[in-house]
Amino acid sequence: MPNPPSGTATPGRVRVRFAPSPTGFLHVGGARTALFNWLFARRHGGTFVLRIEDTDQERSTEESVRTILEGLGWLGIDWDEGPFFQSRNVQAHRALALRLLEERKAYYCFCSAAELEARRAAAEKAGSAWKYDRLCVNLSPEEARRRLQGGEPAAVRFLVPEGTVAWDDLVHGPTSFDSAVLEDIVLLRSNGSPTYNLSCVSDDVAMRVTHVIRGDDHISNTPKQILLYRAAGLEPPRFAHLPLILGPDKKRLSKRHGAVSVTEYRDKGYLPEAMFNFLALLGWSPGEGREKMTRDEMIAAFRLEDINKKGSVFDEQKLEWLNSQYINDLAPERIVALVRPQLEAAGLLSADIEEGGARRAWFLKVITTLKARSKRLPDFVRDARPFLTDDFEYSEDAVKRYLGTDGNRMRALRAAFETVEPFTEEATEKALRALAESRGDKAADYIHPLRVALVGTAVSPGVFTILILIGKERALRRIDRLIAFLDSRATAT
Ligand code: GLU
């Protein structure tokens, strides 16, 4: 894919980029960075550029590029330009370094890795902090040329000027570094390959990036990059550094805390719209306690000034909550389409519940009934099971909480239900309550075991709703099964 034409910028138009290194999956932190760039671009009618920073030949993989694009696609984060591959721009990166060399803003450094390491170790031993000691800074251009021609490898280092580097960070406010803390950064390694800071600045200039929105972990690169802009006589973009994403223990989110890749969340049964909404709230506060928002609402409300300065905790329970809200908004047909592969894998799919099938309308009712209690898509497969097959177990928890060893109540309930006609929610509920009252029991003494009989669990949607969905004949058989189970427990004790 060709790189963007330069020199066609509309002045003032926002241009942002997401610049992942394709060395692994799409981390939720990376996805959040992409999302904030996307929201900012959409908010300002700007352009969102995707740049794959694949200059690290050893660690970059095509598989990683694929998963990054897949993750962004799943979240609905679309880009206007790209994906551009940074490795194709190496000539331009080198040209910038050579220009700085010519202008004596950079210099050749012949110190080998071993020499640098020895001097670093010596400095450390003497108790002083090490930064490159500028041994090569005063080599004359002639001397440098002679050594290069003699085949000596050399890196190109940027001559960091003295002074303060300051910028008005769009998240953190005024930020400054004394350049004395920076060492003369390597622009080109001795094998000629450009380093991250050089490539990043060169590409951001070529792509006319107006705002660099990226993680806090890059804050220490920003003064270096600003100095490179200045040295090249260019106006730096604005910078916004996003707070870290933390685990529940307030430590930087990592694999230790569980899933960290976007596709893992997809596979766990989260909806992309819920994940999108959740990621947007990781560090951004739209105000007025707003949480569930549509994409358009988020675009309209998004302001970099409202991003928190402090890290934000990745709270999977909140994600689950949001997901359940989004699930509740879905039409049952859409839910069935989403869970169909899992239903099939569980052996629960049959022609009569497929589109056009005899029990399709009934199945959509089952899904609608299950919706309110479902947090993630696999919940549907688990909870639809007793509606689709008689082959289900009683959960341990339900048995412990609600089942004794006396089958008499269930026998009485079975007898009462048998005569209920038509078998409706109202009529069955009336019959159950009347029975309980006549026997001096509480309705709950019947409702809980009935639920276990019908679906095997301690909790479910309204028991009379599921009773009708399961239907009289099957319900009576299930009550029989429970009676047999209770009787067998009675004989066992
Ligand atoms: N490739 C860098 C990363 O993945 C991008 C840094 C930047 O946005 O400038 O962290």
Side-chain angles (χ1 to χ4, degrees):
M1 211 161 300
N3 274 346
S6 47
T8 53
T10 316
R13 275 287 296 278
V14 161
R15 289 179 61 88
V16 291
R17 85 299 195 273
F18 175 50
S21 305
T23 54
F25 44 75
L26 179 61
H27 189 282
V28 289
R32 197 262 320 245
T33 298
L35 195 146
F36 282 14
N37 275 285
W38 184 91
L39 282 174
F40 188 69
R42 295 292 171 265
R43 169 79 182 85
H44 295 280
T47 303
F48 177 55
V49 181
L50 179 59
R51 178 170 85 220
I52 305 290
E53 300 209 324
D54 61 341
T55 44
D56 184 340
Q57 303 273 349
E58 261 149 50
R59 296 179 58 228
S60 301
T61 65
E62 274 179 33
E63 168 64 12
S64 170
V65 173
R66 206 182 53 70
T67 54
I68 291 169
L69 301 191
E70 192 183 304
L72 293 174
W74 179 68
L75 284 167
I77 299 177
D78 55 347
W79 50 92
D80 307 306
E81 292 178 11
F84 300 117
F85 289 85
Q86 185 161 62
S87 58
R88 309 225 177 126
N89 305 335
V90 164
Q91 287 314 325
H93 307 162
R94 280 204 193 110
L96 176 57
L98 296 179
R99 196 184 119 198
L100 295 174
L101 262 177
E102 243 160 56
E103 294 172 3
R104 310 287 298 259
K105 291 168 181 161
Y107 59 93
Y108 282 110
C109 171
F110 293 89
C111 300
S112 70
E115 287 163 354
L116 290 171
E117 178 49 32
R119 290 194 329 254
R120 192 193 60 76
E124 219 155 69
K125 216 166 162 190
S128 47
W130 160 260
K131 69 174 188 177
Y132 177 63
D133 52 11
R134 290 192 161 162
L135 198 71
C136 295
V137 76
N138 288 323
L139 291 179
S140 68
E142 296 71 36
E143 167 81 355
R145 202 169 312 123
R146 193 185 52 73
R147 289 174 71 171
L148 285 171
Q149 278 165 358
E152 251 189 88
V156 173
R157 282 188 190 266
F158 177 58
L159 182 58
V160 169
E162 278 174 27
T164 312
V165 194
W167 73 94
D168 192 8
D169 196 282
L170 291 163
V171 173
H172 296 279
T175 307
S176 64
F177 278 78
D178 183 342
S179 73
V181 302
L182 307 174
E183 72 170 9
D184 287 349
I185 46 176
V186 173
L187 299 177
L188 294 177
R189 299 182 189 87
S190 56
N191 66 5
S193 67
T195 57
Y196 158 71
N197 282 301
L198 175 69
S199 302
C200 179
V201 168
S202 175
D203 280 358
D204 282 344
V205 170
M207 295 171 189
R208 308 183 316 279
V209 168
T210 58
H211 295 75
V212 170
I213 305 169
R214 61 186 172 195
D216 261 358
D217 49 332
H218 283 289
I219 224 165
S220 61
N221 286 318
T222 300
K224 300 175 193 170
Q225 295 181 5
I226 290 177
L227 287 172
L228 284 175
Y229 278 97
R230 279 197 206 150
L234 297 161
E235 184 67 27
R238 302 295 308 269
F239 290 90
H241 290 94
L242 310 175
L244 282 181
I245 299 178
L246 311 172
D249 58 357
K250 304 278 161 71
K251 301 241 167 70
R252 187 184 179 148
L253 186 73
S254 74
K255 267 196 154 32
R256 212 163 29 83
H257 295 105
V260 282
S261 92
V262 166
T263 34
E264 276 176 275
Y265 285 93
R266 177 196 62 194
D267 298 342
K268 280 169 98 172
Y270 289 104
L271 298 173
E273 46 274 49
M275 192 72 191
F276 185 102
N277 194 157
F278 173 75
L279 288 174
L281 297 178
L282 269 183
W284 172 50
S285 311
E288 297 155 24
R290 289 211 274 174
E291 301 223 285
K292 182 165 181 270
M293 294 167 81
T294 65
R295 244 164 230 257
D296 285 345
E297 284 166 350
M298 288 186 251
I299 291 170
F302 190 75
R303 296 180 346 139
L304 292 172
E305 299 89 295
D306 296 330
I307 292 173
N308 310 333
K309 294 182 177 51
K310 294 235 170 71
S312 34
V313 173
F314 189 99
D315 175 0
E316 193 167 344
Q317 275 178 338
K318 181 167 171 184
L319 171 59
E320 269 201 345
W321 171 79
L322 266 173
N323 204 52
S324 66
Q325 304 283 309
Y326 278 94
I327 282 180
N328 221 4
D329 290 349
L330 292 183
E333 288 84 352
R334 173 111 183 88
I335 296 175
V336 177
L338 288 169
V339 301
R340 197 184 168 283
Q342 293 164 54
L343 284 173
E344 188 164 25
L348 295 172
L349 200 65
S350 56
D352 57 350
I353 62 166
E354 296 264 45
E355 225 179 313
R359 293 205 303 156
R360 176 71 171 183
W362 166 82
F363 187 56
L364 294 178
K365 255 193 240 165
V366 170
I367 292 295
T368 305
T369 305
L370 296 178
K371 225 165 65 161
R373 300 193 58 87
S374 300
K375 295 191 180 117
R376 293 186 291 123
L377 293 172
D379 293 357
F380 285 101
V381 183
R382 181 195 64 205
D383 297 341
R385 183 172 192 91
F387 293 90
L388 297 171
T389 169
D390 290 329
D391 177 19
F392 67 90
E393 307 282 327
Y394 301 151
S395 83
E396 235 177 84
D397 169 50
V399 172
K400 227 179 9 216
R401 278 164 68 182
Y402 299 125
L403 299 188
T405 53
D406 179 4
N408 286 335
R409 279 189 183 132
M410 287 300 104
R411 264 187 270 278
L413 184 65
R414 191 203 192 284
F417 277 173
E418 199 156 13
T419 61
V420 174
E421 212 51 71
F423 201 72
T424 62
E425 284 189 36
E426 299 72 35
T428 48
E429 177 164 4
K430 223 170 115 193
L432 182 144
R433 290 188 188 281
L435 174 72
E437 209 181 312
S438 72
R439 294 169 54 104
D441 292 331
K442 285 181 290 196
D445 297 335
Y446 296 81
I447 286 178
H448 292 305
L450 173 62
R451 171 178 289 118
V452 183
L454 295 174
V455 291
T457 52
V459 287
S460 77
V463 73
F464 299 103
T465 309
I466 62 175
L467 177 66
I468 303 314
L469 281 170
I470 284 172
K472 184 169 183 176
E473 196 191 317
R474 278 204 300 170
L476 293 180
R477 267 193 276 127
R478 287 185 187 185
I479 296 172
D480 286 339
R481 175 181 161 196
L482 181 66
I483 293 168
F485 177 81
L486 294 171
D487 288 348
S488 73
R489 275 164 52 104
T491 39
T493 48

